[in-house]
Amino acid sequence: MPGWGVAQRALWITAAAGIALDQSTKAVAAELVEGHQPSHLLGGLVTFTAYRNSGAAGSFAPRATLVFTLLAICVLAFIARKAPEIRSTGWAVGLGLVFAGAGGNLADRLFRTPGFGRGAVLDFIQVGHGGIFNLSDQCVTAGVVVVMVQLVRGVPLSSPAPASRT
C-alpha cells in the first residue's frame, strides 16, 4: 500500500471487504440453504432459497455464462487500470463496490460447478416476490448508485494532470 492515496485505499478496502462478505455468505448459504426448504423471515418478506444462476440478473441469457465471465474480467481490469488516477473517495467507494460485485460473481463463475469459467452464481436472498440475488448483486447496484451520484454532482473521476510549464 505504499504510495497509495486515501482514494486508492478506500477502493481496495471496499473491494476486498465486499468480496470477502459475499463469498462468506455464499459459503454459508451453500451449506445451510442449498438443498433445503426455503426459510421465510419477517413474515415472509425475506426468503432464503438457493438458486444456481448461470445467466445475468433475473436469469437473463442463461447460456451466456462465458460472456458474463469475460465481461466481469473486463470490468475488473478497467477498474484496476483506473484506480491510480482516482482522487475522489466517492468514486473510490462506488468503483470498489462494483469491483466487489463483479469479483464475487466472477469467483462463482470460475470455481463453482459445472466447471471452470462455466460455473453458476449462487443466489439465495429473495425480498417479497422479487428476484433472487446475492451480496455481489447488491454491491454492483450500490456501486452504480454511488457512481451515478458522483456523476450528477459533477465530481471528476480523477484530477486533471498538472499543466506543464514551458
Side-chain angles (χ1 to χ4, degrees):
M1 291 181 28
W4 285 5
V6 171
Q8 286 73 37
R9 281 193 289 277
L11 187 152
W12 296 119
I13 290 169
T14 300
I19 291 171
L21 187 59
D22 171 70
Q23 292 298 297
S24 297
T25 58
K26 286 176 182 169
V28 170
E31 281 294 317
L32 301 179
V33 178
E34 197 165 30
H36 297 84
Q37 290 295 318
S39 299
H40 305 283
L41 285 84
L42 303 173
L45 179 64
V46 176
T47 301
F48 291 109
T49 184
Y51 176 71
R52 294 292 180 145
N53 183 358
S54 60
S59 295
F60 172 74
R63 297 194 198 290
T65 303
L66 183 58
V67 172
F68 296 121
T69 300
L70 296 173
L71 182 61
I73 291 168
C74 290
V75 167
L76 296 174
F78 173 81
I79 293 171
R81 185 171 171 271
K82 285 293 188 184
E85 302 172 24
I86 298 171
R87 300 291 176 262
S88 159
T89 304
W91 273 100
V93 169
L95 292 176
L97 286 166
V98 171
F99 193 99
N105 281 339
L106 176 62
D108 285 6
R109 293 185 191 286
L110 291 178
F111 302 115
R112 290 196 188 274
T113 57
F116 187 80
R118 298 175 292 118
V121 172
L122 178 58
D123 292 335
F124 60 94
I125 306 166
Q126 183 176 28
V127 177
H129 297 290
I132 303 170
F133 58 90
N134 59 48
L135 293 187
S136 283
D137 301 332
Q138 295 309 298
C139 284
V140 170
T141 300
V144 168
V145 168
V146 172
V147 165
M148 295 302 292
V149 168
Q150 301 312 302
L151 290 169
V152 169
R153 291 180 55 218
V155 176
L157 176 68
S158 59
S159 301
S164 62
R165 296 180 185 189
T166 52

